[in-house]
Amino acid sequence: MSKKIIRFGVIGCGLMGKEFASAAARWCHLTNVDFEPRIVAVCDANSVATEWFQDNISSVEAAYTDYKELLANPSVDAIYCAVPHQLHATIYIDIIESGKHLLGEKPFGIDQQANRLISEAIINHPEVIVRCSSEFPFYPGAQQIFQWVQDNKFGKIIEVEAGFWHSSDLDPTKVINWKRRIATNGEYGCMGDLGMHVLHLPMRYGWKPKSVRALLSKIIPERPDGKGNMVPCETWDNAILACEVELENQQFPMILSTKRIAPGHANTWFIRISGTDFSAEFTTKNPKQVASLPYTPGGPQAWHVVDAPYKSAYGTITGGIFEFGFSDSILQMWAAFCDELAHGKDTQQPFYCATPEEAAGSHKIFTAALESNRTGQTISIDWRD
């Protein structure tokens, strides 16, 4: 099968940039796809960071310390950008205005104003495909729940809970990083860094909360700076958002939680939906299992737990009996993005990456959550614009 080669540049050569490179190197893992990414250029303000790509990715032709030089490279079709939040607006807008497609890291701007500037650039350049990185809904169990919602299996929804619990910051001796500073991470704190993962599916379902009451926590007030000093942690560790969703024919509570400190968890993503006809739950803590509870009035209320086969949006060489993991979800997300670049709206399967509109929706919720925490009030959210 001949494949459309999509030539990528990577801006930000840290952890997630390397994950993309690994996914591109594993492209043979996918079956029956007629497109393939090829990383041809990389950029990081720290030249040492680009050396790993040059040493390990044979397709890399150029390395830069100035991202504008990468954007001027005519051989680059699309960009993956993973930089601290305060740089999103400037760099994302420059990428979009250069005419190159973009998969950018969440939250698509350090705050709502920055997100609006990015959204304006997207509107002004409709020829550019822009998507937000969010890989967890590509797990087979999450895909199964997505399909059940599409099939209207739940009846009247009773309540929804979704969350992403990170936990690596439980250790008080962990050296502070940019995510602990408002100047680089923004006032959203854990919400900006983790929240798009939580909101990807609710936004896709159209579950836009009409109000939010937020409880935000700062648990560890200061951390070592790596130079022998203790410095203040400025951003929120944990956030619990109590939301009310109102649809045309029903309303229900939705609890969203983002936690950088969750003892016993390590990047646990989950979603639970309770309904009058059907309930379901999936968590990456048990990646092979999906729980469901079908209910008929007068019948028993019994949870059924089954192993989810290794089956996600795009076919793979792996047998269904094996386990699906984080690197597989990254590969599936990249396949979805490249599918759009190759085929536009005529993609191989219908589940696409998180959209800029969904990212903008997350900013509405996070901004309202900050106001709720400041005032102690439930804050209404206006979705009309």
Side-chain angles (χ1 to χ4, degrees):
M1 177 191 298
S2 63
K3 295 185 178 181
K4 176 181 175 60
I5 302 300
I6 304 166
R7 294 165 65 86
F8 271 90
V10 174
I11 299 176
C13 295
L15 179 67
M16 294 311 297
K18 291 175 182 176
E19 286 287 350
F20 171 40
S22 176
R26 292 181 66 217
W27 211 254
C28 63
H29 188 76
L30 300 172
T31 59
N32 300 317
V33 295
D34 61 354
F35 46 84
E36 181 178 346
R38 184 170 296 165
I39 299 174
V40 298
V42 294
C43 176
D44 197 286
N46 178 5
S47 61
V48 175
T50 64
E51 292 177 2
W52 181 91
F53 287 79
Q54 294 171 293
D55 292 341
N56 292 280
I57 309 301
S58 60
S59 59
V60 171
E61 302 167 356
Y64 306 95
T65 55
D66 184 345
Y67 76 90
K68 291 185 178 179
E69 292 182 9
L70 188 153
L71 296 184
N73 186 334
S75 69
V76 174
D77 304 313
I79 302 291
Y80 171 58
C81 188
V83 295
H85 302 170
Q86 88 277 13
L87 302 176
H88 284 192
T90 299
I91 298 180
Y92 287 13
I93 290 170
D94 284 345
I95 293 169
I96 294 163
E97 291 182 343
S98 77
K100 300 186 190 301
H101 306 295
L102 167 65
L103 181 67
E105 279 297 331
K106 72 298 182 233
F108 259 56
I110 195 169
D111 55 24
Q112 192 171 37
Q113 178 56 31
N115 179 259
R116 285 172 175 156
L117 295 174
I118 296 169
S119 297
E120 289 173 6
I122 294 169
I123 291 170
N124 292 333
H125 293 273
E127 75 283 2
V128 175
I129 295 174
V130 180
R131 294 291 179 261
C132 179
S133 177
S134 174
E135 62 275 1
F136 294 103
F138 287 93
Y139 270 76
Q143 290 283 297
Q144 178 62 81
I145 289 182
F146 174 77
Q147 188 58 53
W148 283 335
V149 173
Q150 297 297 100
D151 294 341
N152 297 312
K153 288 182 68 71
F154 291 86
K156 182 178 180 180
I157 294 176
I158 299 169
E159 64 184 15
V160 172
E161 184 176 0
F164 187 26
W165 296 356
H166 185 62
S167 184
S168 73
D169 287 351
L170 180 60
D171 181 0
T173 67
K174 180 182 176 181
V175 174
I176 198 168
N177 60 22
W178 64 268
K179 294 179 181 180
R180 290 296 176 186
R181 304 184 188 279
I182 289 176
T184 48
N185 187 67
E187 288 189 57
Y188 294 151
C190 61
M191 294 185 292
D193 194 44
L194 307 175
M196 190 64 237
H197 292 307
V198 178
L199 280 162
H200 187 166
L201 287 186
M203 291 291 98
R204 186 65 50 88
Y205 298 147
W207 297 345
K208 299 177 178 179
K210 73 171 189 177
S211 64
V212 61
R213 173 67 175 94
L215 298 173
L216 309 184
S217 303
K218 289 183 180 178
I219 299 165
I220 298 179
E222 60 180 14
R223 291 186 179 275
D225 65 357
K227 302 176 183 178
N229 304 307
M230 299 296 290
V231 294
C233 296
E234 301 169 343
T235 59
W236 301 108
D237 289 304
N238 290 359
I240 299 173
L241 310 184
C243 304
E244 184 178 9
V245 177
E246 188 173 278
L247 307 177
E248 290 184 3
N249 58 348
Q250 63 177 316
Q251 63 182 48
F252 54 87
M254 181 168 69
I255 304 300
L256 308 173
S257 58
T258 55
K259 299 181 180 181
R260 298 203 68 86
I261 298 179
H265 292 270
N267 271 16
T268 298
W269 181 96
F270 66 89
I271 186 166
R272 304 184 185 104
I273 305 172
S274 299
T276 55
D277 296 344
F278 192 79
S279 299
E281 174 181 345
F282 172 72
T283 171
T284 58
K285 201 169 185 68
N286 300 304
K288 287 189 67 173
Q289 295 183 337
V290 180
S292 63
L293 190 158
Y295 179 68
T296 301
Q301 300 178 35
W303 281 95
H304 303 265
V305 179
V306 299
D307 277 7
Y310 191 115
K311 182 181 179 182
S312 192
Y314 294 87
T316 70
I317 62 172
T318 301
I321 61 172
F322 297 111
E323 293 186 16
F324 189 96
F326 177 75
S327 60
D328 298 299
S329 69
I330 292 283
L331 180 61
Q332 291 285 323
M333 178 186 71
W334 275 103
F337 183 58
C338 291
D339 197 353
E340 279 200 88
L341 299 188
H343 301 122
K345 295 181 179 179
D346 298 323
T347 53
Q348 183 174 316
Q349 57 80 42
F351 192 83
Y352 45 88
C353 296
T355 66
E357 292 78 14
E358 290 162 347
S362 76
H363 277 266
K364 280 182 176 286
I365 295 169
F366 303 154
T367 300
L370 290 176
E371 183 179 354
S372 173
N373 191 73
R374 282 194 296 268
T375 63
Q377 303 296 314
T378 298
I379 303 300
S380 297
I381 302 177
D382 186 352
W383 293 94
R384 289 175 297 178
D385 62 347

